[in-house]
Amino acid sequence: MSPDDLTYTRGMGRWEPGARERLREAALELFTERGFEQTMVADIAQRAGVTARTFFRYFADKREVLFDGSADLAKQVQNVVETMPPTASALDVVAAVLDAVAQLAGDDRDRARARQAVITANTDLRERELIKQAALTAALTEVLRQRGIGNIEASLAAETGSAVFRVAFNQWGDATENRDLRDVIRETLTRLRILAAAE
Amino acid sequence: MSPDDLTYTRGMGRWEPGARERLREAALELFTERGFEQTMVADIAQRAGVTARTFFRYFADKREVLFDGSADLAKQVQNVVETMPPTASALDVVAAVLDAVAQLAGDDRDRARARQAVITANTDLRERELIKQAALTAALTEVLRQRGIGNIEASLAAETGSAVFRVAFNQWGDATENRDLRDVIRETLTRLRILAAAE
DNA sequence: TAGCGTGATGTCACCTGGTGACATCGGGGG
DNA sequence: CCCCCGATGTCACCAGGTGACATCACGCTA
């Protein structure tokens, strides 16, 4: 729409620039309109003004178009952890990372909900989402280990943190929920402490 | 091998019975020999003595042949939880479920390692594994809710339990590890308590 | 014993996702 | 002014997956 107008009018090359963004938008629109399976790559490409072959030059497969930029998250994790004092406990680091991720993932509630609706409606997309989360968890585990935390300790902290994030993110997506994602995460973390302490 | 002999010699129909089992075995063999991507469905079918079309009558897709029977797990979860006293806490129930799953998943270490090697080597299979775990987690969440545990509490307990299982299962797969899976799980659960209690 | 229905399988045509190889074309630098 | 380069199009092709229909042995029944 509005961003499109800009890129369109100042098109000066052989092809309109911003193909990647157009593909992203077209895909989200079509997935929302007809669903993931009912949308063919050729449809997305056509709406974006390119061919299917070009789609696959930007995205490894049909699903990936919904997860563009998730590689940036790993770098963010790296950055956040580097700014933590060496005295911070594993769980402190994890909490900080969750907070940072929440800022990126939770800034636009409506867009997040729309995207999530598409993902939840399709098993293949759920699979892709899960492995992206797993990749992030692995990255977190790795940076924790680099801080001298033991193997098991590191993966346990990372996996637990991811669990907390998933639960909080889900809750945050609820229609009745209106708190900031970071607040929900903090509350969930507290709940976990209570849960684990009970005995 | 030995079970095959039986079904083979008493083959009395137009086709040898046990096509499903033959397909499972053929698939695992071929995946181990050449890897998942290098194995075509037609290859598996041929080794099992059927056509590719028949493969897809037994398994929804090429990956599913490695996860046959994972639906039984959900029923097991259901059974285990039903035998728990109503006074048991959420974490008690989760611990019991992990114990039960460990018995099924951890009885044959060598076979488990072989299967896991195949899965770990391929992203698509990793995705499928993750969503199977997620399904199990969802089932656990559901039974917890049916016991009157609150929404968030239930999913948090289930997700955390899954996290513990993943970490423990990983550790159990290590070459240097020789304890029973259930012992590793118990230890990991203890570690989690310590981690969460730390301040 | 001659059908007859049935279920598991084979066959075939077809669609879609995905890839490699090569052609094309416009812009920017020499 | 020309040539190189990068982004795109075109085309042929492969593998996963599905629907429709044919086939055939088995067991049941008249």
Side-chain angles (χ1 to χ4, degrees), chain A residues 27-40 43-44 62 117-118 121-122 125:
Chain A
L28 184 54
E29 289 171 12
L30 289 169
F31 292 165
T32 303
E33 291 170 15
R34 336 176 179 164
F36 179 76
E37 290 184 0
Q38 286 65 45
T39 305
M40 284 165 296
D43 299 334
I44 305 172
K62 187 181 164 189
V118 172
N122 181 270
L125 290 174

Side-chain angles (χ1 to χ4, degrees), chain A residues 126 130 163 166-167, chain B residues 74 77 94 97-98 101 129-144 154-163 165-166:
Chain A
R126 282 274 300 145
L130 288 171
R166 276 193 293 274
V167 172
Chain B
V77 168
V94 169
V97 167
L98 293 192
V101 173
E129 184 188 35
L130 288 171
I131 206 168
K132 294 291 183 187
Q133 290 177 6
L136 215 55
T137 305
L140 179 51
T141 301
E142 184 52 27
V143 292
L144 287 177
S155 49
L156 188 56
E159 286 279 0
T160 308
S162 297
F165 184 86
R166 276 192 293 276

Side-chain angles (χ1 to χ4, degrees), chain B residues 17 26 55 71 79 82 88 92 103 122 124 129 142 147 172:
Chain B
F55 177 96
N79 290 343
E82 278 170 359
D92 286 340
Q103 255 181 314
N122 181 271
D124 290 342
E129 184 188 35
E142 184 52 27
R147 289 175 72 91
W172 176 74

